Amino acid sequence: MRGGFRVHVVSDVHGNSEGLRRAGDGADALVCLGDLVLFLDYHDHSRGIFPELFGEANADLIVELRTARRFDEARELARGLWQGIDRNAAIESAVRKQYAELFAAFPTPTYATYGNVDIPHLWPEYAAAGTTVLDGERVEIGGRVFGFVGGGLRTPMRTPYEIDDEEYAAKIEALGEVDVLCSHIPPDVPELCYDTVARRFERGSSALLEAIRATRPAYALFGHVHQPLARRMRIGATECVNVGHFASSGTPWVLEW
């Protein structure tokens, strides 16, 4: 019989409700670090909200432009496609459909925070009693203190839950000292922020890095970068771990004590 405590950690679910239903198997708790929504699958351009609305050919084109960092052209294409459509209503309707399926797949108990592509104001409608949503808050899980910081920082991609550096830093400061620091984005370390397939740096947080150095949590767990140059790295006393791109792997990262 298994002793101790076991937590499964996922991030970047991006519509993988089938995997999510199994993610808590054998665990005492599930931790989810956000990005439930699938807006556009960069590997399969037929999947997600964007191709549902505008077709796979336009999805091919916008991925090509964004990958080439031609963000102005990508925005111009999107502006044309959205013309005459109530953007907010269309996106919210599609996101609601995904959230209904994904939140129903969460096991009990689940502790979750937002990713940069999530829409926080919708979560209370879908989070059941067994799901605890935390952002700039801490909770005890199996005798260890977990702190959660959701969302991402401002980027040219302009995803739904990007916030100012100061607001993000304030959420980190509100946590104080924790055993496990959970965030959607990584600390601002080049090896942890560089995506080897997209061939670009994603935005990491310097405030997260400072907190890791100052408060020395046992673990700093995050996602966001789908194919990082380094999946884990020790910073002082802290083991920093990218828990993986759950949408493609379907496999949670395991923390036991």
Side-chain angles (χ1 to χ4, degrees), residues 27-219:
D28 296 291
L30 179 73
V31 166
C32 179
L33 304 182
D35 271 12
L36 298 183
V37 172
L38 178 61
F39 190 75
L40 175 58
D41 188 329
Y42 275 57
H43 297 286
D44 180 354
H45 302 168
S46 68
R47 296 181 65 241
I49 294 170
F50 189 92
E52 283 176 19
L53 291 171
F54 304 119
E56 192 173 342
N58 282 315
D60 290 340
L61 182 53
I62 206 159
V63 168
E64 180 185 334
L65 292 172
R66 286 178 174 177
T67 302
R69 303 187 67 79
R70 292 156 61 186
F71 294 119
D72 288 340
E73 292 173 66
R75 278 195 290 271
E76 191 60 36
L77 170 64
R79 265 196 295 271
L81 292 172
W82 282 110
Q83 210 162 28
I85 299 173
D86 185 335
R87 179 187 178 113
N88 291 337
I91 290 177
E92 183 165 315
S93 174
V95 169
R96 283 181 179 279
K97 194 163 37 172
Q98 291 189 16
Y99 277 171
E101 186 175 351
L102 290 159
F103 276 91
F106 277 141
T108 297
T110 291
Y111 302 88
T113 196
Y114 318 113
N116 60 294
V117 303
D118 287 311
I119 302 178
H121 79 264
L122 295 180
W123 281 37
E125 295 183 41
Y126 297 95
T131 299
T132 303
V133 179
L134 303 117
D135 187 18
E137 298 162 284
R138 42 195 276 154
V139 66
E140 187 177 303
I141 306 174
R144 286 192 170 187
V145 177
F146 285 63
F148 290 80
V149 186
L153 299 172
R154 305 282 183 197
T155 73
M157 303 289 276
R158 298 180 182 176
T159 51
Y161 191 42
E162 294 181 355
I163 62 176
D164 293 334
D165 289 51
E166 296 76 16
E167 184 182 350
Y168 193 87
K171 292 196 292 187
I172 297 169
E173 188 174 0
L175 298 178
E177 293 188 10
V178 297
D179 299 307
V180 184
L181 178 56
C182 298
S183 58
H184 177 66
I185 62 173
D188 188 16
V189 177
E191 295 89 339
L192 299 176
C193 294
Y194 187 72
D195 190 308
T196 59
V197 174
R199 292 182 295 177
R200 65 169 181 259
F201 287 97
E202 301 290 351
R203 277 209 70 187
S205 166
S206 58
L208 268 175
L209 181 57
E210 290 167 13
I212 289 166
R213 287 172 172 159
T215 64
R216 298 163 60 86
Y219 292 92

